[in-house]
């Protein structure tokens, strides 16, 4: 399907891809783990810029997977009580092998040379031998029938079977999740290359905001509104270690104020999220101002509800590319637009190779007859795993109903069936 003449792109996906193609990633920070007082916490969910390489085999030697006895096949031929001649414990080198007895071994300890299997202690009889011959004795055991069926190689984790020294343990472009932090520690990493957090500016516009002129009017007159968009956007960006979000900025609907505010935001940030001033009103200066600031307008308006007037732009300078999203001022449009468009693109800038959204799919409990010739973002509440109920509000100004949602689904033009639909959680 071709884009309708007034839309540069047919779908949110295509519009996001067009912006993504114009964006790079943030620079690289080298972090010495010894210099950080709490390296695990400070690295958690940061994005790796270079791969992590294994410094040694994993495991570093053949080790036992069970508590039991490390033996050779010939040991199983021994009848009657067998002397335990030594112990292999984690944290110490293994004892030398013994011709006369067997070695007790604990999970994770090194397999003594010559042993080919580990018999779990529950498959031995450790009580038959009576009192030990002397106090230094490690005891005696006897084989059960089950022990005799344990094959060669059993219960041994082989050196390097997880990963061999020099192999890539964690690829670049991934977030350092808890398992990856474990791998990083396991391989003795002292220094990591991380992508710098994405510097994001939230720039709201509009003279109607309480804080724009005189914030201490009390009670707030009805022609003034509170800056809910700033809170929505800061909330989306909060607690993302790969985002460095500046305190929100605001500009009045006045080109002389808007242009320097936009220029400053572009210069000092990788992403500028603007709200308001992108539709057809006499005071909607954002598209013009972005052009004056030297940004390329990649699209203005998409076949989307809410958020049809959305604007996507990129500003290129010698040192960086800056993403600018002009989100419509209506709170539902601004919040859904930021979730749908800004979040994957910020992940791209943050250096994540898996930045593209893979939204889970949900079914709707009920559908209405109504359809739209647009991509339709519809607020939902999750009711069961995989099942969602529509939360019907009064339109794109209804922030009260939006607050009752867990996220939204995206339906393509003319659709009205139960799904499954991609679900974008808050
Ligand atoms: N003639 C037309 N008028 C409108 C069209 C259109 O196509 N033709 N599109 C409508 C749609 S759809 C939307 S969405 C809005 C988007 O307008 P703007 O982006 O220009 O936003 P504003 O006009 O500045 O504000 C719209 C609405 O949102 C409130 N607002 C603005 N900023 C905030 C904020 N920070 N926090 C909370 N609420 C905010 C503002 O007071 C307005 O009520 O345009 C339609 N009009
Ligand atoms: O698209 Mo606007 O966001 O409907 O209100």
């Amino acid at each position: 399907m071709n884009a309708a003449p007034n839309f540069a792109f047919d779908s949110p996906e295509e519009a996001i891809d067009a912006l993504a193609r114009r964006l790079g990633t943030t620079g690289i920070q080298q972090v010495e783990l010894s210099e950080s007082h709490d390296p695990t916490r400070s690295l958690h969910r940061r994005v790796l810029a270079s791969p992590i390489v294994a410094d040694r085999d994993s495991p570093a030697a053949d080790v036992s997977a069970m508590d039991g006895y490390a033996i050779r096949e010939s040991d199983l031929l021994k009848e009657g009580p067998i002397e335990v001649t030594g112990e292999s414990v984690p944290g110490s080198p293994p004892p030398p092998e013994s011709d006369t007895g067997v070695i007790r071994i604990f999970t994770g300890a090194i397999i003594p040379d010559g042993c080919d299997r580990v018999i779990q202690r529950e498959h031995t009889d450790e009580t038959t031998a009576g009192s030990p011959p002397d106090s230094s004795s490690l005891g005696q055991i006897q084989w059960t029938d089950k022990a005799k069926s344990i094959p060669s190689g059993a219960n041994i984790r082989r050196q390097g079977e997880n990963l061999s020294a020099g192999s890539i343990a964690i690829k670049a472009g991934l977030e350092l999740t808890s398992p990856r932090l474990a791998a990083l520690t396991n391989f003795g990493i002292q220094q990591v290359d991380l992508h710098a957090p994405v510097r994001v500016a939230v720039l709201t516009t509009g003279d109607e905001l309480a804080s724009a002129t005189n914030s201490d009017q009390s009670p707030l007159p009805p022609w003034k509104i509170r800056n809910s968009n700033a809170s929505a956007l800061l909330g989306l960006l909060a607690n993302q270690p790969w985002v460095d979000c500046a305190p929100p900025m605001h500009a009045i609907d006045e080109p002389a104020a808007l242009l320097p505010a936009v220029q400053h935001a572009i210069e000092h940030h990788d992403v500028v999220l603007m709200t308001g001033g992108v539709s057809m009103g006499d005071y909607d200066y954002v598209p013009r101002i972005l052009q004056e600031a030297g940004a390329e307008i990649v699209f203005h308006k998409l076949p989307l509800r809410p958020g049809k007037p959305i604007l996507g732009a990129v500003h290129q300078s010698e040192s960086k590319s800056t993403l600018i999203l002009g989100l419509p001022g209506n709170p539902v449009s601004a919040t859904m637009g930021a979730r749908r468009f800004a979040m994957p693109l910020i992940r791209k800038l943050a250096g994540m190779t898996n930045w593209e959204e893979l939204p889970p799919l949900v079914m709707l409990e009920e559908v209405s007859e109504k359809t739209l010739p647009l991509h339709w973002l519809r607020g939902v509440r999750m009711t069961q795993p995989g099942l969602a109920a529509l939360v019907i509000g009064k339109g794109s100004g209804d922030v009260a109903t939006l607050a009752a949602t867990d996220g939204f689904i995206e339906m393509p033009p003319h659709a009205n069936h139960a799904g499954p639909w991609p679900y974008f959680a808050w």
Side-chain angles (χ1 to χ4, degrees):
M1 186 174 70
N2 286 328
N6 51 340
F7 298 118
F9 299 102
D10 282 333
S11 67
E13 225 53 75
E14 289 169 50
I16 289 169
D17 281 348
L19 291 170
R21 278 197 297 276
R22 292 164 167 83
L23 298 173
T25 60
T26 58
I28 296 175
Q29 298 174 331
Q30 227 171 44
V31 177
E32 297 287 341
L33 301 197
S34 54
E35 285 170 15
S36 168
H37 75 285
D38 189 355
T40 306
R41 191 183 288 258
S42 62
L43 295 185
H44 182 235
R45 294 194 53 225
R46 294 288 306 274
V47 182
L48 264 188
S50 305
I52 296 296
V53 175
D55 69 329
R56 60 178 191 164
D57 289 340
S58 169
D62 291 355
V63 295
S64 179
M66 295 285 177
D67 296 323
Y69 295 90
I71 64 160
R72 292 160 297 194
E73 185 158 32
S74 57
D75 292 326
L76 289 173
L77 302 174
K78 293 175 183 158
E79 297 293 342
I82 309 165
E83 196 70 20
V84 179
T85 54
E87 284 188 342
S88 184
V89 293
S92 298
E97 62 170 334
S98 150
D99 288 337
T100 55
V102 290
I103 306 288
R104 183 173 290 134
I105 193 163
F106 298 92
T107 306
I110 294 187
I111 305 288
D113 279 345
C115 295
D116 77 334
R117 73 198 73 187
V118 170
I119 311 294
Q120 296 97 308
R121 62 190 312 174
E122 57 270 34
H123 298 326
T124 68
D125 184 347
E126 294 177 308
T127 61
T128 53
S131 41
D134 64 67
S135 59
S136 64
S137 168
L138 295 169
Q140 295 174 321
I141 60 161
Q142 244 171 264
W143 302 127
T144 63
D145 287 344
K146 174 75 183 168
K148 293 179 184 168
S149 69
I150 306 272
S152 176
N155 302 318
I156 295 178
R157 296 178 181 152
R158 294 292 176 195
Q159 177 176 348
E161 72 175 16
N162 304 329
L163 200 66
S164 54
S167 309
I168 290 182
I170 315 173
K171 289 180 183 162
L174 293 175
E175 263 178 286
L176 288 174
T177 54
S178 133
R180 293 180 187 136
L181 287 171
L184 194 127
T185 300
N186 182 68
F187 293 114
I189 303 304
Q190 293 302 316
Q191 187 193 65
V192 283
D193 290 341
L194 301 176
H195 279 285
V198 181
R199 296 163 304 163
V200 182
V202 170
L203 175 57
T204 54
T205 68
D207 296 349
E208 68 275 41
L209 294 192
S211 55
T213 47
N214 181 3
S215 58
D216 47 23
Q217 282 174 292
S218 181
L220 198 63
W223 52 90
K224 289 284 182 188
I225 60 162
R226 300 188 176 97
N227 194 348
S228 66
N229 285 349
S231 301
L233 301 194
L234 294 183
L236 278 175
L237 301 166
N239 298 320
Q240 307 291 7
W242 29 271
V243 170
D244 174 9
C245 190
M249 296 177 271
H250 186 79
I252 54 169
D253 290 324
E254 175 62 59
L258 200 50
L259 181 60
V262 165
Q263 284 170 325
H264 176 269
I266 290 174
E267 192 182 338
H268 297 282
H269 300 88
D270 306 300
V271 177
V272 181
L273 299 180
M274 303 184 67
T275 74
V278 289
S279 66
M280 308 289 285
D282 290 347
Y283 304 101
D284 293 338
Y285 298 117
V286 169
R288 194 185 99 194
I289 292 294
L290 286 176
Q291 263 164 343
E292 281 178 39
E296 176 200 1
I297 310 282
V298 179
F299 57 84
H300 184 196
K301 296 185 177 44
L302 289 175
L304 184 69
R305 182 178 295 170
K308 196 172 173 182
I310 190 169
L311 181 153
V314 175
H315 182 277
Q316 306 283 2
S317 73
E318 267 176 31
S319 58
K320 67 180 179 72
S321 46
T322 304
L323 166 70
I324 304 142
L325 281 181
L327 299 161
N330 276 322
V332 180
S333 322
T335 312
M336 288 185 173
R339 170 66 186 84
R340 183 70 181 93
F341 291 81
M343 293 316 287
L345 290 167
I346 293 174
R347 287 162 55 90
K348 163 105 190 344
L349 279 157
M352 287 182 220
T353 44
N354 59 347
W355 61 270
E356 277 172 283
E357 196 103 41
L358 293 174
L361 300 177
V362 299
M363 297 294 293
L364 285 177
E365 279 184 349
E366 275 184 67
V367 278
S368 60
E369 289 298 297
K370 188 175 172 184
T371 63
L372 285 182
L374 304 165
H375 294 266
W376 195 1
L377 309 180
R378 309 187 76 181
V380 295
R381 193 168 51 78
M382 293 303 297
T383 56
Q384 284 179 46
L387 201 61
L390 287 171
V391 177
I392 312 277
K394 296 281 188 243
S396 55
D398 186 356
V399 75
T401 302
L402 189 66
T405 63
D406 296 319
F408 56 89
I409 57 162
E410 182 175 308
M411 288 175 145
H414 310 290
N416 74 343
H417 59 87
W421 301 117
Y423 169 64
F424 300 86
W426 296 126

